[in-house]
Amino acid sequence: MDERQRHIRALAGEKRALILAHFYQTMDIQEVADVVGDSFELARQARQATHPLIVLCGVRFMAESAKLLNPDKTVLLPAPDAGCPMADMVTPDDVTALRAKHPDAAFLCYVNSSAAVKAACDVCCTSSSAVRVARALPHREIVFLPDQNLGHFVAAQVPEKRFHLYDGYCIVHHLVRAEDVRAARRAHPECLVLVHPECPPAVVALADFAGSTAEILRYVERREADGFLIGTEVGVVERLRATAPDKRVFLLKPSLLCRNMKKTTLADLAHALETGREAVEIDAALAQSARRTLDRMIALSL
Ligand code: 13P
Ligand code: SF4
């Protein structure tokens, strides 16, 4: 750890703060966090946190989820303008319109969504919990939103249910093409290809494995292979190079970088701890309904 990181650890101790970071954060942030995880693990950690202060190094929907799951705590988002374009692709009015079209369906909403959209839905999921949640729901019909690609991935694994997919997408993963997988395999024929289910179905179909960030990391750590081509954000590759230096890992495509996830800097994190800003606030009436969808996700995933 360098001096700035030691300063942040000292501040965290002083303020009794829990620092949570997503795997897509830069390595200097991952190194200073108490816990680094996928979206599901960050939600679980936030929910069980006993610290008075939670600092979420990630994007806004993650900080909102932490606040919803543990409302008595102060939750800080050190990079307040770190949003998720996919989360902005669906509004509560869109959900209302779809409810009128599919009155018998359960509304299953990817955690990459606003608190207002969560409040309008029945249950949430993350990429690692989506299949389990969809199977556990009593409904035979499911509206999945906003990610069409994760929706397709879930629908393929839960064929006994009828899915209606919304047309949102991740601006990073959606741009991966089947041809990118073929080209990467030609360059590295010895490698296994692992992708995130936010990638299009044609990409998932060509991969050896598709899973959440944590599932991809676990797969590489446990599996012997001559190399791995990683089809998710570059933070996962950087983490693997730091934690599993004996493995050969390559980013599937250079454009796999989420600008929003890279907004948090060590200076932002220190500033958040020093000033207590920016604290996430959610309208109380909305929070109650939104919290119910997250609690339900955790209950159905255990
Ligand atoms: P997971 O870490 O849950 O796989 O999520 C990926 C992602 O895109 C978060 O925005
Ligand atoms: Fe949103 Fe995609 Fe960035 Fe995740 S990687 S925060 S889904 S834009």
Side-chain angles (χ1 to χ4, degrees):
M1 277 203 201
D2 68 15
E3 203 177 312
R4 292 168 310 165
Q5 290 172 310
R6 281 195 295 276
H7 174 58
I8 286 168
R9 285 310 320 165
L11 280 171
E14 206 178 287
K15 311 276 177 179
R16 294 200 294 132
L18 176 72
I19 303 178
L20 301 178
H22 188 266
F23 291 125
Y24 295 164
Q25 294 289 291
T26 52
M27 276 315 289
D28 54 356
I29 298 285
Q30 293 192 34
E31 283 160 8
V32 89
D34 293 288
V35 179
V36 187
D38 69 358
S39 311
F40 187 81
E41 181 59 13
L42 297 182
R44 214 180 56 82
Q45 291 282 343
R47 189 182 193 227
Q48 69 184 29
T50 52
H51 305 64
L53 185 63
I54 300 171
V55 186
L56 203 307
C57 300
V59 292
R60 182 163 290 275
F61 76 79
M62 294 178 172
E64 283 186 354
S65 297
K67 180 69 181 172
L68 288 167
L69 286 162
N70 207 338
D72 297 338
K73 311 295 181 193
T74 300
V75 177
L76 304 180
L77 179 61
D81 63 338
C84 169
M86 186 207 293
D88 298 334
M89 290 178 188
V90 61
T91 67
D93 286 348
D94 295 325
V95 178
T96 306
L98 283 166
R99 285 242 188 234
K101 270 178 81 180
H102 306 290
D104 299 326
F107 276 62
L108 172 53
C109 143
Y110 193 22
V111 72
N112 300 36
S113 53
S114 66
V117 164
K118 287 183 178 73
C121 288
D122 300 311
V123 60
C124 272
C125 67
T126 63
S127 59
S128 59
S129 61
V131 171
R132 251 173 304 160
V133 171
R135 278 200 191 117
L137 283 170
H139 307 68
R140 296 202 58 75
E141 201 180 336
I142 294 175
V143 173
F144 190 95
L145 57 98
D147 187 8
Q148 56 181 284
N149 295 325
L150 181 62
H152 194 280
F153 177 76
V154 176
Q157 290 176 74
V158 190
E160 67 276 18
K161 303 204 177 187
R162 183 159 176 234
F163 283 79
H164 306 281
L165 307 182
Y166 194 76
D167 60 1
Y169 56 88
C170 163
I171 58 166
V172 179
H173 292 91
H174 194 61
L175 296 182
V176 182
R177 295 279 162 253
E179 185 42 38
D180 297 321
V181 180
R182 290 191 197 101
R185 278 202 196 275
R186 278 196 296 275
H188 295 285
E190 75 288 4
C191 288
L192 293 175
V193 175
L194 320 182
V195 302
H196 197 280
E198 287 176 10
C199 292
V203 169
V204 171
L206 290 176
D208 296 295
F209 176 77
S212 81
T213 51
E215 289 166 339
I216 289 175
L217 285 156
R218 221 176 297 131
Y219 188 102
V220 174
E221 279 154 12
R222 290 183 185 168
R223 188 78 176 237
E224 285 308 320
D226 290 336
F228 302 88
L229 285 158
I230 306 294
T232 191
E233 212 270 351
V234 62
V236 170
V237 171
E238 286 167 357
R239 183 167 185 85
L240 281 167
R241 290 196 173 135
T243 60
D246 52 318
K247 307 274 181 172
R248 290 176 74 234
V249 287
F250 305 97
L251 190 63
L252 183 69
K253 191 179 178 176
S255 62
L256 281 162
L257 184 141
C258 175
R259 294 193 184 286
N260 282 286
M261 281 286 184
K262 301 305 192 212
K263 282 184 178 165
T264 322
T265 63
L266 287 176
D268 293 332
L269 181 49
H271 183 259
L273 285 161
E274 279 157 1
T275 62
R277 289 166 64 189
E278 176 186 311
V280 173
E281 298 298 343
I282 301 169
D283 173 78
L286 198 81
Q288 209 184 2
S289 309
R291 181 178 314 131
R292 188 180 35 80
T293 63
L294 284 164
D295 281 338
R296 213 167 163 207
M297 165 182 84
I298 291 176
L300 291 175
S301 310
L302 297 175

